[in-house]
């Protein structure tokens, strides 16, 4: 209403305004007008709004978003008398008060009137979270209020607020900040499979290891070749391999191969097959000693 834009054109205008942070004011105004050519050379069609409406939005950007003053105060004064705007301002002021009560300082939160997100179902305030150390990575956690969304599927009005985490983006940021240690695998034990007829026995070993809180996995490939299975464990950084065939099971025994202990020798040995078969990195023990033995190895 303030800019004289028809309500049915509002969503399109807001989606263009949402591009302000990434594209800048010039690009936003161009899309509100005749359109523009993006960096890839593609034609972005414009909304072809009247010039007076575009000028009002330009003023909104300058005064509400770029001014040093609190944007809430500005928009409250400027849009006074517009019911929808007053409701929005009241909600944002309430959120600010709650954040203050929670001890969230001004440096960690701010009102950004350019954030739009999906207008199709949001019915109230929306939010986006960026990392102060890597703001260029964009939002890693975002959401908002959508009171009408449940009604679409259940036919019942249910107030709702939700959010989601951008896992890939967050992981990329944590890696860039070097705050996340990288490992090829989280498993500490690989249960090899030499005899598929004894799969229940291998799964039982896996169950026991996991029940003791030892991250473990069973070899999921289709090969019975032990060397290939052990190579897999070594490649992804699993330190221990449990090896047993029908003969070992019948004798109540298992073999534990310490892949981590052989890592240093592997770096000094050109023949990889030689170190995989080397003595001193594995021991055959009683099946009932397996858990205690592995715990001792991992504790070293």
């Amino acid at each position: 209403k303030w800019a004289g834009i028809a309500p049915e054109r509002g969503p399109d205008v807001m989606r263009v305004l949402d591009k302000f942070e990434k594209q800048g004011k010039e690009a936003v105004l161009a899309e509100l007008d005749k359109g523009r050519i993006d960096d890839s050379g593609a034609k972005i069609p414009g909304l072809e709004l009247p010039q007076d409406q575009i000028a009002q939005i330009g003023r909104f950007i300058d005064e509400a978003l770029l001014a040093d003053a609190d944007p809430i105060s500005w928009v409250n004064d400027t849009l006074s008398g517009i019911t929808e705007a007053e409701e929005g301002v009241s909600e944002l002021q309430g959120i600010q008060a709650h954040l203050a009560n929670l001890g969230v300082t001004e440096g960690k939160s701010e009102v950004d009137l350019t954030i739009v997100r999906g207008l199709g179902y949001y019915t109230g305030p929306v939010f986006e979270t960026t990392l102060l150390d890597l703001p260029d990575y964009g939002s890693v956690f975002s959401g908002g209020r959508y009171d009408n969304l449940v009604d679409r599927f259940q036919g019942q009005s249910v107030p709702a607020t939700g959010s989601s985490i951008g896992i890939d983006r967050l992981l990329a940021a944590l890696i860039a900040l070097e705050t996340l240690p990288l490992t090829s695998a989280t498993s500490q034990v690989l249960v090899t499979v030499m005899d598929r007829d004894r799969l229940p026995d291998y799964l039982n070993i896996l169950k026991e290891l996991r029940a003791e809180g030892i991250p473990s996995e069973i070899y999921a490939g289709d090969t019975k070749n032990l060397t290939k299975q052990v190579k897999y464990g070594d490649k992804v950084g699993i330190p221990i391999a449990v090896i047993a065939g029908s003969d070992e099971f019948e004798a109540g025994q298992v073999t534990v191969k310490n892949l981590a202990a052989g890592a240093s020798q592997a770096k000094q040995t050109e023949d990889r097959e030689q170190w995989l078969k080397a003595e001193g990195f594995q021991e055959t023990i009683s099946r009932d000693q397996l858990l205690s033995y592995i715990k001792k190895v991992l504790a070293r």
Side-chain angles (χ1 to χ4, degrees):
K1 293 181 180 180
W2 177 73
I5 298 172
E8 60 270 17
R9 303 211 69 183
D12 292 332
V13 173
M14 295 295 284
R15 290 189 184 96
V16 173
L17 184 61
D18 191 40
K19 300 180 182 181
F20 171 76
E21 182 179 3
K22 292 184 178 180
Q23 304 297 334
K25 177 183 175 182
E26 184 177 345
V28 168
L29 297 183
E31 283 194 44
L32 295 174
D33 196 2
K34 302 296 183 182
R36 64 185 179 90
I37 304 297
D38 69 10
D39 294 338
S40 69
K43 169 68 176 178
I44 306 297
L47 299 182
E48 299 188 7
L49 295 179
Q51 291 302 311
D52 61 332
Q53 295 179 0
I54 296 175
Q56 278 288 75
I57 294 176
R59 180 191 169 208
F60 179 88
I61 292 174
D62 289 339
E63 298 192 33
L65 308 178
L66 303 182
D68 293 333
D70 181 2
I72 289 295
S73 297
W74 179 86
V75 78
N76 191 39
D77 294 339
T78 304
L79 303 185
S80 177
I82 300 176
T83 302
E84 295 85 353
E86 291 179 342
E87 291 177 354
V89 168
S90 178
E91 290 175 347
L92 290 174
Q93 289 174 329
I95 291 174
Q96 284 183 315
H98 290 322
L99 290 174
N101 291 329
L102 288 170
V104 179
T105 62
E106 292 184 2
K108 294 184 177 180
S109 68
E110 64 180 7
V111 174
D112 187 340
L113 300 176
T114 65
I115 296 177
V116 175
R117 298 188 59 76
L119 288 174
Y121 59 86
Y122 282 113
T123 59
V126 297
F127 64 87
E128 292 187 348
T129 304
T130 57
L131 300 175
L132 296 179
D133 293 332
L134 286 176
D136 292 341
Y137 271 62
S139 175
V140 297
F141 177 75
S142 55
R145 174 166 288 281
Y146 40 84
D147 288 346
N148 298 335
L149 188 59
V150 176
D151 185 48
R152 293 187 182 184
F153 303 98
Q154 299 292 333
Q156 180 179 2
S157 179
V158 178
T161 299
S163 58
S164 62
I165 298 176
I167 297 296
D168 291 347
R169 186 176 296 182
L170 180 58
L171 285 175
L174 292 175
I175 291 172
L177 291 171
E178 298 182 350
T179 59
L180 185 69
L182 296 179
T183 58
S184 298
T186 57
S187 296
Q188 294 181 305
V189 179
L190 171 67
V191 179
T192 62
V193 179
M194 296 177 62
D195 184 351
R196 292 201 170 272
D197 291 337
R198 305 302 294 259
L199 187 58
D201 294 309
Y202 296 120
L203 291 175
N204 190 49
I205 292 176
L206 183 67
K207 179 189 68 174
E208 291 179 8
L209 290 167
R210 289 178 173 177
E212 290 295 314
I214 301 173
S216 307
E217 65 180 80
I218 191 169
Y219 185 77
D222 58 2
T223 181
K224 296 181 180 179
N225 187 298
L226 179 60
T227 300
K228 290 184 178 180
Q229 296 186 45
V230 174
K231 277 185 176 181
Y232 160 77
D234 174 59
K235 180 180 179 180
V236 300
I238 300 176
I240 296 174
V242 174
I243 302 167
S246 294
D247 292 342
E248 286 84 1
F249 280 123
E250 293 298 332
Q253 297 178 326
V254 292
T255 297
V256 178
K257 193 173 189 69
N258 193 328
L259 303 181
S264 59
Q265 178 170 328
K267 295 178 181 178
Q268 303 171 9
T269 305
E270 294 183 3
D271 188 346
R272 195 165 183 79
E273 299 297 328
Q274 178 181 345
W275 90 260
L276 285 172
K277 298 176 181 179
E279 298 295 332
F281 301 132
Q282 66 183 45
E283 185 174 349
T284 299
I285 60 174
S286 172
R287 170 68 176 83
D288 58 14
Q289 295 178 334
L290 178 61
L291 290 178
S292 59
Y293 182 85
I294 288 180
K295 288 180 180 179
K296 290 179 181 179
V297 173
L298 292 175
R300 292 173 186 171

